Amino acid sequence: KNQVEQSPQSLIILEGKNCTLQCNYTVSPFSNLRWYKQDTGRGPVSLTIMTFSENTKSNGRYTATLDADTKQSSLHITASQLSDSASYICVVSDRGSTLGRLYFGRGTQLTVWP
Amino acid sequence: EADIYQTPRYLVIGTGKKITLECSQTMGHDKMYWYQQDPGMELHLIHYSYGVNSTEKGDLSSESTVSRIRTEHFPLTLESARPSHTSQYLCASSRNSLNTEAFFGQGTRLTVV
């Protein structure tokens, strides 16, 4: 069964600190892995997208890693800001159909305190 | 900022009413999707479209229907709303290739009383 599991479910950190969010998946055949940021009551916004051949990608203070062999990914946030408070969703796409079906994790709810 | 728009943002309606949630994108994307998301839960695909006159049901059973008469427009209709339809509905679009980004609208928060 294709699944995407994220940990931790929620996380509270102080402003300025770093944090790392985890994603494990069983989606096969694998096409790509995406990290999205979703503010409360809004639609998800893409942070990074990585294919099989990429093992790291950065977007400002966000750095995503991918280990396609162990089917794990992480999202590292550096020097956190209050505006980083949001849900971070790991999404994996398969290549088993022309749709490129997206499988969503439940997200990690990050809260940054001043 | 993605050029995909949903209206209304919030909607409170009575049981039994017919409603249509609007979704439009100006990026010329062939693929469009509707997702349903409850608080703290993952997104579930309820409908998708490959292009004009193409509509398919997603993973999550839904009593809603969709249409795709124009590339840029993908409305979702509930013929008779019920309290169990209370949820957030997210529309998304993407180009017709595998490793391409999906852009999401801001969502419609529907409450059926």
Side-chain angles (χ1 to χ4, degrees):
Chain A
K1 181 181 177 182
N2 289 320
Q3 287 185 310
V4 178
E5 301 286 344
Q6 291 187 243
S7 63
Q9 185 176 352
S10 62
L11 181 63
I12 300 174
I13 62 172
L14 295 178
E15 186 179 14
K17 297 296 186 183
N18 305 334
C19 67
T20 300
L21 315 180
Q22 301 291 342
C23 174
N24 296 332
Y25 63 92
T26 59
V27 177
S28 182
F30 174 85
S31 176
N32 60 68
L33 185 145
R34 311 145 188 245
W35 283 94
Y36 282 86
K37 177 186 179 186
Q38 186 177 23
D39 292 314
T40 301
R42 317 281 278 197
V45 175
S46 178
L47 296 175
T48 64
I49 178 170
M50 289 181 291
T51 60
F52 184 88
S53 60
E54 298 173 293
N55 55 25
T56 187
K57 184 164 280 189
S58 293
N59 178 1
R61 294 180 297 102
Y62 302 103
T63 299
T65 65
L66 172 65
D67 186 334
D69 292 329
T70 61
K71 298 187 177 182
Q72 296 179 325
S73 176
S74 65
L75 180 69
H76 186 74
I77 304 175
T78 304
S80 61
Q81 300 175 357
L82 298 179
S83 59
D84 291 333
S85 294
S87 179
Y88 291 84
I89 304 172
C90 177
V91 184
V92 181
S93 176
D94 74 4
R95 53 183 170 83
S97 69
T98 57
L99 175 64
R101 185 175 292 272
L102 301 180
Y103 296 87
F104 289 80
R106 291 190 175 186
T108 292
Q109 184 65 47
L110 175 66
T111 304
V112 180
W113 282 1
Chain B
E1 195 80 14
D3 294 323
I4 179 165
Y5 309 99
Q6 290 185 242
T7 58
R9 285 293 317 280
Y10 304 94
L11 181 61
V12 180
I13 61 167
T15 298
K17 298 292 185 182
K18 177 181 178 180
I19 59 166
T20 296
L21 308 185
E22 302 288 349
C23 177
S24 296
Q25 50 94 8
T26 58
M27 296 173 281
H29 288 168
D30 287 322
K31 290 183 179 177
M32 295 190 75
Y33 318 80
W34 275 103
Y35 291 91
Q36 186 173 340
Q37 184 184 31
D38 293 320
M41 302 297 286
E42 65 266 47
L43 279 72
H44 292 285
L45 181 67
I46 52 175
H47 296 284
Y48 60 95
S49 168
Y50 290 117
V52 171
N53 295 325
S54 154
T55 61
E56 302 287 344
K57 288 189 179 295
D59 303 318
L60 186 67
S61 175
S62 174
E63 293 161 351
S64 58
T65 59
V66 292
S67 63
R68 190 87 183 276
I69 299 173
R70 302 198 317 264
T71 297
E72 61 271 22
H73 197 210
F74 192 40
L76 180 145
T77 299
L78 275 167
E79 291 293 332
S80 179
R82 295 205 302 270
S84 61
H85 295 139
T86 295
S87 188
Q88 168 146 285
Y89 293 85
L90 289 161
C91 179
S93 72
S94 68
R95 291 198 309 270
N96 192 19
S97 60
L98 272 179
N99 296 320
T100 183
E101 186 176 340
F103 295 90
F104 286 83
Q106 297 281 37
T108 294
R109 168 68 65 184
L110 174 66
T111 303
V112 184
V113 298

mmCIF file of all heavy atoms in Angstrom, chain A residues 23-52:
data_model
loop_
_atom_site.group_PDB
_atom_site.id
_atom_site.type_symbol
_atom_site.label_atom_id
_atom_site.label_comp_id
_atom_site.label_asym_id
_atom_site.label_seq_id
_atom_site.Cartn_x
_atom_site.Cartn_y
_atom_site.Cartn_z
ATOM 1 N N CYS A 23 10.238 12.356 6.840
ATOM 2 C CA CYS A 23 9.202 11.770 5.985
ATOM 3 C C CYS A 23 9.685 10.400 5.514
ATOM 4 O O CYS A 23 10.797 10.289 4.976
ATOM 5 C CB CYS A 23 8.935 12.682 4.787
ATOM 6 S SG CYS A 23 7.806 11.998 3.552
ATOM 7 N N ASN A 24 8.878 9.377 5.721
ATOM 8 C CA ASN A 24 9.150 8.035 5.207
ATOM 9 C C ASN A 24 8.017 7.652 4.267
ATOM 10 O O ASN A 24 6.852 7.951 4.545
ATOM 11 C CB ASN A 24 9.226 7.016 6.346
ATOM 12 C CG ASN A 24 10.372 7.296 7.294
ATOM 13 O OD1 ASN A 24 11.387 7.858 6.904
ATOM 14 N ND2 ASN A 24 10.210 6.922 8.546
ATOM 15 N N TYR A 25 8.350 6.980 3.188
ATOM 16 C CA TYR A 25 7.314 6.646 2.223
ATOM 17 C C TYR A 25 7.492 5.232 1.696
ATOM 18 O O TYR A 25 8.571 4.656 1.762
ATOM 19 C CB TYR A 25 7.304 7.648 1.052
ATOM 20 C CG TYR A 25 8.567 7.655 0.226
ATOM 21 C CD1 TYR A 25 8.706 6.851 -0.901
ATOM 22 C CD2 TYR A 25 9.630 8.493 0.571
ATOM 23 C CE1 TYR A 25 9.867 6.861 -1.653
ATOM 24 C CE2 TYR A 25 10.798 8.500 -0.173
ATOM 25 C CZ TYR A 25 10.911 7.693 -1.287
ATOM 26 O OH TYR A 25 12.053 7.709 -2.023
ATOM 27 N N THR A 26 6.396 4.690 1.189
ATOM 28 C CA THR A 26 6.434 3.355 0.582
ATOM 29 C C THR A 26 5.910 3.413 -0.849
ATOM 30 O O THR A 26 5.631 2.360 -1.434
ATOM 31 C CB THR A 26 5.593 2.355 1.395
ATOM 32 O OG1 THR A 26 4.237 2.827 1.441
ATOM 33 C CG2 THR A 26 6.127 2.201 2.813
ATOM 34 N N VAL A 27 5.762 4.619 -1.391
ATOM 35 C CA VAL A 27 5.191 4.782 -2.730
ATOM 36 C C VAL A 27 6.125 4.189 -3.770
ATOM 37 O O VAL A 27 7.322 4.467 -3.787
ATOM 38 C CB VAL A 27 4.944 6.282 -3.037
ATOM 39 C CG1 VAL A 27 4.430 6.455 -4.462
ATOM 40 C CG2 VAL A 27 3.989 6.874 -2.024
ATOM 41 N N SER A 28 5.555 3.382 -4.655
ATOM 42 C CA SER A 28 6.328 2.746 -5.713
ATOM 43 C C SER A 28 5.435 2.513 -6.931
ATOM 44 O O SER A 28 4.268 2.144 -6.764
ATOM 45 C CB SER A 28 6.891 1.414 -5.209
ATOM 46 O OG SER A 28 7.675 0.802 -6.200
ATOM 47 N N PRO A 29 5.943 2.708 -8.121
ATOM 48 C CA PRO A 29 7.262 3.234 -8.464
ATOM 49 C C PRO A 29 7.350 4.737 -8.206
ATOM 50 O O PRO A 29 6.435 5.491 -8.496
ATOM 51 C CB PRO A 29 7.370 2.934 -9.963
ATOM 52 C CG PRO A 29 5.951 2.916 -10.443
ATOM 53 C CD PRO A 29 5.145 2.361 -9.318
ATOM 54 N N PHE A 30 8.489 5.139 -7.696
ATOM 55 C CA PHE A 30 8.684 6.517 -7.248
ATOM 56 C C PHE A 30 8.942 7.445 -8.426
ATOM 57 O O PHE A 30 9.663 7.107 -9.368
ATOM 58 C CB PHE A 30 9.877 6.540 -6.286
ATOM 59 C CG PHE A 30 10.295 7.907 -5.843
ATOM 60 C CD1 PHE A 30 9.668 8.519 -4.772
ATOM 61 C CD2 PHE A 30 11.319 8.581 -6.486
ATOM 62 C CE1 PHE A 30 10.056 9.776 -4.343
ATOM 63 C CE2 PHE A 30 11.719 9.837 -6.071
ATOM 64 C CZ PHE A 30 11.085 10.443 -4.988
ATOM 65 N N SER A 31 8.349 8.636 -8.366
ATOM 66 C CA SER A 31 8.620 9.653 -9.373
ATOM 67 C C SER A 31 9.317 10.859 -8.746
ATOM 68 O O SER A 31 10.388 11.246 -9.202
ATOM 69 C CB SER A 31 7.331 10.106 -10.055
ATOM 70 O OG SER A 31 7.588 11.150 -10.960
ATOM 71 N N ASN A 32 8.711 11.461 -7.757
ATOM 72 C CA ASN A 32 9.329 12.600 -7.110
ATOM 73 C C ASN A 32 8.755 12.802 -5.716
ATOM 74 O O ASN A 32 7.729 12.216 -5.370
ATOM 75 C CB ASN A 32 9.154 13.876 -7.945
ATOM 76 C CG ASN A 32 7.696 14.216 -8.170
ATOM 77 O OD1 ASN A 32 6.984 14.583 -7.240
ATOM 78 N ND2 ASN A 32 7.241 14.098 -9.415
ATOM 79 N N LEU A 33 9.455 13.604 -4.925
ATOM 80 C CA LEU A 33 9.016 13.918 -3.571
ATOM 81 C C LEU A 33 9.002 15.427 -3.421
ATOM 82 O O LEU A 33 9.952 16.101 -3.809
ATOM 83 C CB LEU A 33 9.935 13.278 -2.529
ATOM 84 C CG LEU A 33 9.514 13.434 -1.058
ATOM 85 C CD1 LEU A 33 9.888 12.176 -0.272
ATOM 86 C CD2 LEU A 33 10.111 14.661 -0.417
ATOM 87 N N ARG A 34 7.920 15.915 -2.827
ATOM 88 C CA ARG A 34 7.734 17.354 -2.664
ATOM 89 C C ARG A 34 7.507 17.680 -1.197
ATOM 90 O O ARG A 34 6.913 16.903 -0.472
ATOM 91 C CB ARG A 34 6.498 17.826 -3.449
ATOM 92 C CG ARG A 34 6.451 17.327 -4.888
ATOM 93 C CD ARG A 34 5.046 17.040 -5.316
ATOM 94 N NE ARG A 34 5.002 16.383 -6.641
ATOM 95 C CZ ARG A 34 4.473 16.939 -7.708
ATOM 96 N NH1 ARG A 34 3.906 18.124 -7.625
ATOM 97 N NH2 ARG A 34 4.473 16.313 -8.861
ATOM 98 N N TRP A 35 7.951 18.841 -0.804
ATOM 99 C CA TRP A 35 7.586 19.400 0.494
ATOM 100 C C TRP A 35 6.750 20.649 0.249
ATOM 101 O O TRP A 35 7.120 21.503 -0.563
ATOM 102 C CB TRP A 35 8.820 19.755 1.309
ATOM 103 C CG TRP A 35 9.500 18.571 1.936
ATOM 104 C CD1 TRP A 35 10.543 17.853 1.425
ATOM 105 C CD2 TRP A 35 9.192 17.981 3.195
ATOM 106 N NE1 TRP A 35 10.886 16.851 2.288
ATOM 107 C CE2 TRP A 35 10.083 16.904 3.389
ATOM 108 C CE3 TRP A 35 8.242 18.249 4.198
ATOM 109 C CZ2 TRP A 35 10.057 16.098 4.527
ATOM 110 C CZ3 TRP A 35 8.224 17.450 5.329
ATOM 111 C CH2 TRP A 35 9.122 16.390 5.491
ATOM 112 N N TYR A 36 5.625 20.714 0.971
ATOM 113 C CA TYR A 36 4.744 21.876 0.892
ATOM 114 C C TYR A 36 4.620 22.510 2.272
ATOM 115 O O TYR A 36 4.675 21.818 3.295
ATOM 116 C CB TYR A 36 3.337 21.478 0.423
ATOM 117 C CG TYR A 36 3.192 21.238 -1.058
ATOM 118 C CD1 TYR A 36 3.469 19.998 -1.612
ATOM 119 C CD2 TYR A 36 2.755 22.248 -1.898
ATOM 120 C CE1 TYR A 36 3.315 19.771 -2.972
ATOM 121 C CE2 TYR A 36 2.594 22.033 -3.260
ATOM 122 C CZ TYR A 36 2.871 20.779 -3.791
ATOM 123 O OH TYR A 36 2.716 20.563 -5.136
ATOM 124 N N LYS A 37 4.399 23.821 2.279
ATOM 125 C CA LYS A 37 4.076 24.548 3.498
ATOM 126 C C LYS A 37 2.626 24.983 3.403
ATOM 127 O O LYS A 37 2.211 25.558 2.388
ATOM 128 C CB LYS A 37 4.979 25.784 3.642
ATOM 129 C CG LYS A 37 4.666 26.637 4.854
ATOM 130 C CD LYS A 37 5.505 27.916 4.848
ATOM 131 C CE LYS A 37 5.168 28.784 6.053
ATOM 132 N NZ LYS A 37 5.858 30.102 5.991
ATOM 133 N N GLN A 38 1.864 24.674 4.457
ATOM 134 C CA GLN A 38 0.458 25.066 4.456
ATOM 135 C C GLN A 38 0.142 25.886 5.692
ATOM 136 O O GLN A 38 0.168 25.380 6.817
ATOM 137 C CB GLN A 38 -0.463 23.843 4.396
ATOM 138 C CG GLN A 38 -1.939 24.210 4.256
ATOM 139 C CD GLN A 38 -2.848 23.011 4.123
ATOM 140 O OE1 GLN A 38 -2.520 21.899 4.533
ATOM 141 N NE2 GLN A 38 -4.035 23.218 3.539
ATOM 142 N N ASP A 39 -0.143 27.159 5.491
ATOM 143 C CA ASP A 39 -0.596 28.005 6.589
ATOM 144 C C ASP A 39 -2.040 27.651 6.918
ATOM 145 O O ASP A 39 -2.798 27.182 6.048
ATOM 146 C CB ASP A 39 -0.486 29.479 6.209
ATOM 147 C CG ASP A 39 0.952 29.920 6.066
ATOM 148 O OD1 ASP A 39 1.761 29.581 6.941
ATOM 149 O OD2 ASP A 39 1.280 30.606 5.077
ATOM 150 N N THR A 40 -2.440 27.908 8.150
ATOM 151 C CA THR A 40 -3.780 27.553 8.605
ATOM 152 C C THR A 40 -4.834 28.193 7.718
ATOM 153 O O THR A 40 -4.807 29.398 7.481
ATOM 154 C CB THR A 40 -3.983 27.993 10.059
ATOM 155 O OG1 THR A 40 -2.988 27.353 10.879
ATOM 156 C CG2 THR A 40 -5.366 27.607 10.555
ATOM 157 N N GLY A 41 -5.759 27.375 7.207
ATOM 158 C CA GLY A 41 -6.847 27.879 6.397
ATOM 159 C C GLY A 41 -6.472 28.285 4.980
ATOM 160 O O GLY A 41 -7.265 28.923 4.290
ATOM 161 N N ARG A 42 -5.271 27.935 4.541
ATOM 162 C CA ARG A 42 -4.803 28.292 3.194
ATOM 163 C C ARG A 42 -4.444 27.041 2.411
ATOM 164 O O ARG A 42 -4.379 25.944 2.958
ATOM 165 C CB ARG A 42 -3.572 29.192 3.267
ATOM 166 C CG ARG A 42 -3.640 30.272 4.296
ATOM 167 C CD ARG A 42 -4.444 31.431 3.846
ATOM 168 N NE ARG A 42 -3.675 32.334 3.007
ATOM 169 C CZ ARG A 42 -4.048 33.580 2.746
ATOM 170 N NH1 ARG A 42 -5.167 34.055 3.239
ATOM 171 N NH2 ARG A 42 -3.314 34.337 1.970
ATOM 172 N N GLY A 43 -4.188 27.208 1.129
ATOM 173 C CA GLY A 43 -3.734 26.097 0.318
ATOM 174 C C GLY A 43 -2.242 25.870 0.480
ATOM 175 O O GLY A 43 -1.499 26.778 0.826
ATOM 176 N N PRO A 44 -1.769 24.636 0.225
ATOM 177 C CA PRO A 44 -0.327 24.343 0.329
ATOM 178 C C PRO A 44 0.470 25.118 -0.725
ATOM 179 O O PRO A 44 -0.004 25.328 -1.835
ATOM 180 C CB PRO A 44 -0.262 22.840 0.066
ATOM 181 C CG PRO A 44 -1.648 22.316 0.297
ATOM 182 C CD PRO A 44 -2.559 23.426 -0.079
ATOM 183 N N VAL A 45 1.682 25.488 -0.337
ATOM 184 C CA VAL A 45 2.595 26.180 -1.238
ATOM 185 C C VAL A 45 3.862 25.350 -1.350
ATOM 186 O O VAL A 45 4.428 24.922 -0.333
ATOM 187 C CB VAL A 45 2.920 27.592 -0.721
ATOM 188 C CG1 VAL A 45 3.977 28.247 -1.606
ATOM 189 C CG2 VAL A 45 1.666 28.441 -0.665
ATOM 190 N N SER A 46 4.320 25.120 -2.563
ATOM 191 C CA SER A 46 5.472 24.256 -2.789
ATOM 192 C C SER A 46 6.765 24.887 -2.260
ATOM 193 O O SER A 46 7.024 26.067 -2.472
ATOM 194 C CB SER A 46 5.614 23.970 -4.285
ATOM 195 O OG SER A 46 6.750 23.181 -4.532
ATOM 196 N N LEU A 47 7.572 24.058 -1.582
ATOM 197 C CA LEU A 47 8.898 24.485 -1.127
ATOM 198 C C LEU A 47 9.989 23.876 -2.011
ATOM 199 O O LEU A 47 10.894 24.570 -2.464
ATOM 200 C CB LEU A 47 9.126 24.061 0.326
ATOM 201 C CG LEU A 47 8.216 24.684 1.370
ATOM 202 C CD1 LEU A 47 8.493 24.070 2.739
ATOM 203 C CD2 LEU A 47 8.418 26.195 1.435
ATOM 204 N N THR A 48 9.938 22.560 -2.193
ATOM 205 C CA THR A 48 10.935 21.860 -3.011
ATOM 206 C C THR A 48 10.285 20.679 -3.708
ATOM 207 O O THR A 48 9.269 20.155 -3.263
ATOM 208 C CB THR A 48 12.097 21.313 -2.167
ATOM 209 O OG1 THR A 48 11.593 20.329 -1.264
ATOM 210 C CG2 THR A 48 12.808 22.403 -1.383
ATOM 211 N N ILE A 49 10.909 20.259 -4.796
ATOM 212 C CA ILE A 49 10.525 19.029 -5.474
ATOM 213 C C ILE A 49 11.805 18.330 -5.904
ATOM 214 O O ILE A 49 12.714 18.964 -6.447
ATOM 215 C CB ILE A 49 9.599 19.289 -6.684
ATOM 216 C CG1 ILE A 49 9.247 17.976 -7.395
ATOM 217 C CG2 ILE A 49 10.185 20.298 -7.648
ATOM 218 C CD1 ILE A 49 8.157 18.123 -8.445
ATOM 219 N N MET A 50 11.917 17.024 -5.571
ATOM 220 C CA MET A 50 13.132 16.269 -5.876
ATOM 221 C C MET A 50 12.786 14.988 -6.618
ATOM 222 O O MET A 50 11.849 14.277 -6.241
ATOM 223 C CB MET A 50 13.880 15.913 -4.581
ATOM 224 C CG MET A 50 14.527 17.101 -3.903
ATOM 225 S SD MET A 50 15.416 16.610 -2.412
ATOM 226 C CE MET A 50 14.037 16.152 -1.375
ATOM 227 N N THR A 51 13.549 14.711 -7.656
ATOM 228 C CA THR A 51 13.377 13.456 -8.376
ATOM 229 C C THR A 51 14.334 12.409 -7.826
ATOM 230 O O THR A 51 15.138 12.701 -6.925
ATOM 231 C CB THR A 51 13.634 13.667 -9.874
ATOM 232 O OG1 THR A 51 14.974 14.148 -10.044
ATOM 233 C CG2 THR A 51 12.667 14.692 -10.441
ATOM 234 N N PHE A 52 14.299 11.236 -8.410
ATOM 235 C CA PHE A 52 15.089 10.094 -7.923
ATOM 236 C C PHE A 52 16.574 10.415 -7.867
ATOM 237 O O PHE A 52 17.288 9.983 -6.972
ATOM 238 C CB PHE A 52 14.834 8.895 -8.841
ATOM 239 C CG PHE A 52 15.502 7.637 -8.394
ATOM 240 C CD1 PHE A 52 14.870 6.783 -7.513
ATOM 241 C CD2 PHE A 52 16.769 7.299 -8.859
ATOM 242 C CE1 PHE A 52 15.483 5.626 -7.092
ATOM 243 C CE2 PHE A 52 17.387 6.139 -8.435
ATOM 244 C CZ PHE A 52 16.744 5.287 -7.562
#
